[in-house]
């Protein structure tokens, strides 16, 4: 009898059926086949690309994007113990956090889920992150991209503070900076000296993929 | 025509003498600047060990909280009237100051619904407050919370009625208070639980979600009743249903989960002979027809940073909804030039005011709003908003 676990995993993700997706991934794990684990990771990556496309096309809404990300997160958590040697090559590192004074993390967490599934190594600094902490993480991890989330207009000035800290330490030219958050805009990106503004998580991850693609 | 007649005429989709101008003034930073008051460094005072606890004890008194809270909105009304606004919004909230190790300043506000509000201060010490996280992230915690807080809900409803009655009595002779019964059943159902958790529950425990919504709808209807005791003819309600690029939930799902709630809210207000205006941030084109279907009389906000264009909204829903808002608060009334403000006011009036049914306002309150720019906005509205428009 053919093993249709991977097809079932994809259906689970695209039909937003957590139970089916987890049942499928447990079948994959039970097989103990490293190659199948890698294929399962690829299925998650491809499925989230479909989810992102549906969101950008207006076919799916934020709650569906969030729930698909949650299913992917649970699936990846289940697969991760078997992924030591089976993972896809990284597209590079993303350091991400919500700026100081701001505790909102919904948008940031969606980016984290989607970026991980897209093959980025993600260093999530959490919320209320100071400029010094952002700069230290950039120095330590040498990311290709720094993502900053900022929901509150009252904390918008923190974005410029982080970029200033990167400049002072000679780190700004070594990476791309993308900002996102309800109160922000392309104007805000220009004002603070970021490379781009992402109106939503999927667009943000798409930008990162383009930046990480070989020239 | 006086301010009240002007507002009510616009609400009837008729042309008043000029387009009414409404303020969404409530942030202490804006109010203090407008009234030339020095801010109290509330967050700074909380950092002092003994004083912090004393302030907490003081604010846990219902009477003290109400006096302090009323004082801020009373000042906002006074400030808005002095700038020449015809109306200003007003909303009651009950919060408990709580020590909070997760908060950057060590304190947060906890509200009766189970939400945590982040407390911060600007460089001058003006306080600002924003929703930060949920306190009831599981079914069990939510059940326990609403059971324990039942007496607090009653206090809140009594306070709401008293707050709006007093505000209308004290300020209704100079400016029209747009009394707001906030928040609505959507925000009240997800915010105490958290959006990610709530989304999981929608798919995994739909019966629990229905129970939460039914509870919050009943509470919201009682909140509307409390607000209407002030006697105002127009009542605001609302929920932030949109995010930057579209609704948070699929419109069919909004209808399935909340349609009945919104119909009941509009029906209740209409039964009392009032009009119901709905506030929602975000990109909400996909819900405008639903708003009409649910019986709303108007909408307030239309956030330009979420892509909401006043002319497009008018084209989509015509005169089925009164439109209030749309002027940008991310730049225009923060740093915009006088010419930019004049141009934006003129465009908004041109896009939506012909035949009545438009009240000019910013799209939201905002702590960085500059009173001088609000003054320019009011002056531009007086200059370009005289009916007949463009005549």
């Amino acid at each position: 009898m053919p093993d249709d676990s991977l097809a079932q995993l994809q259906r689970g993700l695209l039909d937003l059926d957590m139970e089916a997706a987890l049942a499928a991934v447990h079948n994959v794990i039970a097989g103990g086949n490293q190659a199948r684990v890698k294929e399962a990771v690829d299925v998650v990556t491809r499925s989230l690309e479909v989810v992102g496309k549906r969101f950008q096309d207006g076919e799916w809404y934020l709650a569906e994007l969030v729930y698909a990300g949650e299913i992917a997160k649970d699936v990846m958590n289940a697969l991760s113990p078997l992924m030591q040697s089976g993972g896809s090559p990284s597209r590079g590192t993303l350091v991400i956090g919500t700026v100081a004074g701001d505790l909102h993390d919904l948008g940031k967490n969606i980016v984290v889920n989607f970026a991980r599934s897209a093959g980025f190594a993600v260093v999530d600094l959490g919320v209320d992150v100071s400029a010094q902490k952002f700069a230290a993480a950039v120095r330590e991890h040498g990311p290709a991209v720094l993502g900053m989330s900022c929901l509150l207009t009252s904390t918008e000035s923190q974005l410029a503070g982080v970029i200033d800290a990167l400049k002072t330490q000679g780190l700004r030219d070594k990476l791309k900076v993308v900002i996102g958050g309800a109160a922000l805009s392309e104007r805000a990106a220009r004002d603070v000296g970021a490379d781009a503004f992402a109106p939503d998580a999927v667009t943000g991850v798409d930008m990162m993929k383009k930046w990480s693609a070989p020239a | 025509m006086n301010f009240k007649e002007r507002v009510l005429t616009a609400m009837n989709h008729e042309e008043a003498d000029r387009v009414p101008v409404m303020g969404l003034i409530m942030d202490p930073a804006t109010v203090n600047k407008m009234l030339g008051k020095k801010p109290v460094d509330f967050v700074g005072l909380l950092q002092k060990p003994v004083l912090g606890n004393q302030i907490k004890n003081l604010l846990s008194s219902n009477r003290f909280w109400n006096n302090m809270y009323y004082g801020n909105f009373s000042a906002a009304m006074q400030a808005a009237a002095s700038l020449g606004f015809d109306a200003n919004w007003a909303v009651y909230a009950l919060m408990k100051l709580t020590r909070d190790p997760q908060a950057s300043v060590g304190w947060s506000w906890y509200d009766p619904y189970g939400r945590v509000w982040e407390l911060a201060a600007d460089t001058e010490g003006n306080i600002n407050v924003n929703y930060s996280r949920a306190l009831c992230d599981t079914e069990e915690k939510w059940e326990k919370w609403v059971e324990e807080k039942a007496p607090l809900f009653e206090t809140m409803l009594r306070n709401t009625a008293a707050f709006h009655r007093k505000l209308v009595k004290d300020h209704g002779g100079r400016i029209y208070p747009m009394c707001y019964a906030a928040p609505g059943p959507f925000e009240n159902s997800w915010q105490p639980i958290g959006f990610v958790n709530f989304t999981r529950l929608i798919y995994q425990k739909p019966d629990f979600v229905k129970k939460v919504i039914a509870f919050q709808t009943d509470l919201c209807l009682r909140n509307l009743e409390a607000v209407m005791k002030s006697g105002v003819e127009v009542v605001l309600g609302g929920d932030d249903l949109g995010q930057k690029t579209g609704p948070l939930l699929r419109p069919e799902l909004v209808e399935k989960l909340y349609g009945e709630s919104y119909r009941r809210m509009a029906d209740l207000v209409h039964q009392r002979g009032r009009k119901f205006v709905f506030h929602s941030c975000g990109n909400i084109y996909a819900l405008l027809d639903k708003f009409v279907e649910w019986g709303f009389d108007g909408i307030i906000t239309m956030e330009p940073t979420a892509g909401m264009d006043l002319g497009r909204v008018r084209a989509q829903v015509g005169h089925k909804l009164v439109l209030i808002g749309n002027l940008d608060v991310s730049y225009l009334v923060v740093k915009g030039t006088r010419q930019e403000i004049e141009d934006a006011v003129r465009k908004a009036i041109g896009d939506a005011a012909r035949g009545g049914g438009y009240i000019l306002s910013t799209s939201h309150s905002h702590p960085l709003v500059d009173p001088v720019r609000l003054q320019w906005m009011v002056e531009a509205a007086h200059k370009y908003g005289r009916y007949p428009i463009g005549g």
Side-chain angles (χ1 to χ4, degrees), chain B residues 243-293:
Chain B
Q243 46 87 30
K244 215 161 177 70
T245 58
L248 283 103
L249 303 185
R250 173 177 293 279
E252 297 88 327
L253 187 60
V254 179
E255 170 64 60
K256 184 179 161 193
L257 296 176
Y258 295 97
E260 189 55 29
S261 305
Y262 293 136
R263 281 188 190 89
R264 287 176 66 194
M265 288 163 67
D267 285 350
L268 175 70
V269 174
H270 294 157
Q271 281 162 18
R272 303 287 183 269
R274 324 290 169 93
K275 296 210 170 183
F276 185 59
V277 174
F278 190 83
H279 159 82
S280 173
C281 290
N283 185 311
I284 49 169
Y285 288 117
L287 294 166
L288 291 175
D289 294 328
K290 280 281 163 204
F291 294 167
V292 175
E293 197 186 313

Side-chain angles (χ1 to χ4, degrees), chain A residues 173-198:
Chain A
D173 296 337
K174 300 182 190 326
L175 79 172
K176 296 279 191 187
V177 177
V178 58
I179 61 169
L184 302 180
S185 60
E186 283 171 15
R187 182 200 290 266
R190 280 197 304 275
D191 287 352
V192 301
D195 292 292
F197 158 73

Side-chain angles (χ1 to χ4, degrees), chain A residues 5-212:
Chain A
S5 298
L6 296 179
Q8 194 190 335
L9 173 60
Q10 184 171 24
R11 277 197 303 275
L13 279 155
L14 297 181
D15 294 347
L16 297 176
D17 186 340
M18 173 85 83
E19 211 175 317
L22 289 176
V25 88
H26 286 306
N27 280 342
V28 171
I29 292 166
N33 179 338
Q34 196 72 48
R36 294 285 280 169
V37 169
K38 186 178 178 310
E39 282 176 306
V41 173
D42 291 343
V43 166
V44 173
T45 305
R46 284 198 307 273
S47 300
L48 285 195
E49 281 172 3
V50 174
V51 168
K53 177 93 176 39
R54 287 178 181 176
F55 178 74
Q56 286 179 317
D57 291 348
E59 198 185 325
W60 273 22
Y61 292 82
L62 188 71
E64 288 148 335
L65 186 74
V66 165
Y67 194 52
E70 287 296 294
I71 297 173
K73 185 172 81 180
D74 286 5
V75 166
M76 295 295 272
N77 284 343
L79 289 170
S80 61
L82 298 166
M83 281 165 54
Q84 294 89 340
S85 57
S88 303
S90 172
R91 285 179 186 263
T93 299
L94 163 69
V95 167
I96 190 167
T98 302
V99 297
D102 195 334
L103 303 178
H104 297 89
D105 61 4
L106 175 62
K108 173 187 72 64
N109 290 346
I110 302 172
V111 175
V112 168
N113 280 346
F114 276 69
R116 280 201 175 122
S117 300
F120 287 90
V122 180
V123 179
D124 182 0
L125 302 176
V127 297
D128 193 17
V129 181
S130 67
Q132 293 73 23
K133 197 171 169 188
F134 271 117
V138 167
R139 185 173 290 285
E140 182 184 346
H141 299 285
V145 183
L146 171 67
M148 288 189 282
S149 175
C150 170
L151 184 87
L152 305 175
T153 46
S154 51
T155 55
E156 200 179 314
S157 59
Q158 299 292 332
L159 298 165
V162 175
I163 292 176
D164 284 347
L166 295 178
K167 282 181 186 165
T168 308
Q169 297 182 37
L171 300 166
R172 176 64 185 93
D173 296 337
K174 300 182 190 326
L175 79 172
K176 296 279 191 187
V177 177
V178 58
I179 61 169
L184 302 180
S185 60
E186 283 171 15
R187 182 200 290 266
R190 280 197 304 275
D191 287 352
V192 301
D195 292 292
F197 158 73
D200 59 67
V202 176
T203 307
V205 175
D206 280 352
M207 283 174 183
M208 286 157 35
K209 283 186 203 164
K210 278 186 195 142
W211 289 334
S212 71

